Amino acid sequence: MSDKLYIFDTTLRDGEQVPGCQLNTVEKIEVAKALDLLGVDVLEAGFPVSSPGDFQSVVEISKVVKNPVICALTRAIEKDIEVAADSLRYAKRKRIHTGIGTSDYHIKFKFNSNREDILQRAIACVKYAKKFVEDVEFYAEDAGRTENEYLAQVIEAVIAAGATVVNIPDTTGYCLPDEFGAKIRFLKENVNGIENAIISTHCHNDLGMATANTISGIINGARQAEVTINGIGERAGNTSLEEVVMIMKSRKHLGIVPGIRTKHLLKTSRMVSSLMNMPVQPNKAIVGRNAFSHSSGIHQDGVLKYRENYEIIDPIDVGVNESSIALTARSGRAALKHRLSMLGYHLGKEQVDLVYKRFLDLADKKKDIRDEDLEILAGSNGNKKNKKVKLEHLQVLCGKSTVPMATVTLNINGESFSHTSSGNGPVDSSFEAIRQLVHHQFRVEEYLVQAITKGSDDIGKVHIQIENKGKYYYGFSGNTDVVTASVEALIDAINKII
Ligand code: KIV
Ligand code: ZN
């Protein structure tokens, strides 16, 4: 029997506290819907008393997001609790998250108070929140630096007052994983009534240990993890949702499983990153651009032989299409051959050797070897000589107040065929003519024209992606005439179908 790990997402509350990353209500609803699709159990939608915007966001999210519990944060202040309860009025399932600082730092320097007073305020805020909602989560702010005996006393009292979840935040990201785990275990073993509440972790990343501390907390008895997408949050951020989820999923023997639809992880990460203007570092675990990209020859060869040689997660499980093989000067023949075959070039050993030599020369000069570079390397190897379709002649008529027309002559298997078509411009007309000449159905999926430099006499580079019977083929060409480059790129892709 495995235990459920509740995922409490606080991207829209603690995550959104990052300076310059604030979202408007419409954007928050968009993120909330994505979190719902991802399958989070609890969605902390805001701190309603903090601003009218935050209040409104909690109201609107409560109206449209119906699966997760919608949670609103408060301080241990009656007014905060009343406002939070009001903001949650449309929520199907609602929770108030209230609490107070329990470390001696907070007690002395924030509240100018004493432990007994703080204990009473903790009890009072839970009792007050219980008047409005059944589900009340209590947080002991700075629990990471709170002495365990006092923390246990507070937690026992708030559970007796009705708290359903007790949150043990490492607010300053100070704890070591074994300390944090021991703290959770201490509470499990020393708090009367602890079985009546769920213990939650809420770890910050000031020393880069948020995920490690969260996992240690879970191993020692916590069953809710408070996390954010991409680990965003003020200072060094919060615990990252995707890391905790994939750790628990890939370590099934721990028997504590989150109910997250992991295939949506990458998509959700990208959405949050772009709406919040917070780029994800390329080497970020699970969702970074390089998380499944292999660049050294030994690793590339190993992954191509058997993915699990160098990957513990199947990229498809987190919404990444496939592992990528980054071609650099350290790549071997296996990687080059693999990439060429994905581009439609199936070369024999001698040809690969020749292209590999050219590739190494280029890779020494250029950091970023792109598909079009490989096309040129492979194309100049003679492979293109064998192409069945060649452009013999192209004439276009276009301009203002003129119906665009194109006449294309193709050499197909040694014979010439011509066709004239019209379209919405010279490129469209030419593509239409080609469509009539070749016997393959295709759909243009992507068409991109780029100039190499800035002059009007520049070479235009055209990339095209076409679809034929569910498969995708890439074509590339460069020419000072962009219509010719477009036609050649399309022919390049068509030859790969053949
Ligand atoms: O880090 C923290 O202690 C918090 C609480 C308000 C839950 O964010
Ligand atoms: Zn926090």
Side-chain angles (χ1 to χ4, degrees), residues 13-14 169 171 202 204 238:
R13 199 279 297 169
D14 221 351
T171 305
H202 178 114
H204 280 264
N238 287 57

Side-chain angles (χ1 to χ4, degrees), residues 81-101:
I81 294 170
E82 287 158 16
V83 173
D86 189 21
S87 73
L88 290 168
R89 60 188 182 274
Y90 297 110
K92 192 167 146 212
R93 294 194 296 150
K94 52 185 99 172
R95 177 181 297 176
I96 289 178
H97 188 191
T98 187
I100 195 160

Side-chain angles (χ1 to χ4, degrees), residues 10 13-14 17 44 73-74 97 139-142 167 169-172 202 204 226 235 238:
T10 183
R13 199 279 297 169
D14 221 351
Q17 285 173 208
E44 189 164 50
L73 185 83
T74 82
H97 188 191
Y139 64 85
E141 194 178 8
D142 205 14
N167 179 12
D170 183 20
T171 305
T172 56
H202 178 114
H204 280 264
E226 306 200 0
R235 309 190 309 278
N238 287 57

Side-chain angles (χ1 to χ4, degrees), residues 431 441-446 464-468 471-475 489-490 492-495 497:
F431 282 17
Q441 299 288 331
F442 62 85
R443 200 156 41 88
V444 176
E445 285 284 313
E446 206 178 300
I464 198 163
Q465 189 189 20
I466 61 173
E467 186 265 347
N468 169 263
K471 283 192 163 179
Y472 295 89
Y473 302 88
Y474 295 87
L490 177 60
D492 186 30
I494 289 171
N495 273 310
I497 305 178

Side-chain angles (χ1 to χ4, degrees), residues 209-226:
M209 290 188 293
T211 298
N213 284 340
T214 298
I215 298 300
S216 181
I218 295 167
I219 290 171
N220 282 285
R223 288 295 175 269
Q224 176 179 281
E226 306 200 0

Side-chain angles (χ1 to χ4, degrees), residues 414-440:
E415 264 191 81
S416 294
F417 300 89
S418 294
H419 196 88
T420 301
S421 288
S422 60
N424 65 11
V427 173
D428 189 44
S429 312
S430 313
F431 282 17
E432 198 41 49
I434 293 172
R435 203 183 288 282
Q436 302 303 322
L437 291 171
V438 298
H439 301 295
H440 298 280

Side-chain angles (χ1 to χ4, degrees), residues 44-105:
E44 189 164 50
F47 179 15
V49 85
S50 68
S51 74
D54 240 41
F55 177 88
Q56 204 49 38
S57 298
V58 180
V59 172
E60 298 304 327
I61 290 171
S62 300
K63 282 183 191 164
V64 294
V65 176
K66 295 295 174 198
N67 294 308
V69 171
I70 307 296
C71 178
L73 185 83
T74 82
R75 293 166 293 179
I77 294 176
E78 290 192 352
K79 174 79 183 156
D80 282 28
I81 294 170
E82 287 158 16
V83 173
D86 189 21
S87 73
L88 290 168
R89 60 188 182 274
Y90 297 110
K92 192 167 146 212
R93 294 194 296 150
K94 52 185 99 172
R95 177 181 297 176
I96 289 178
H97 188 191
T98 187
I100 195 160
T102 52
S103 69
D104 287 337
Y105 290 94

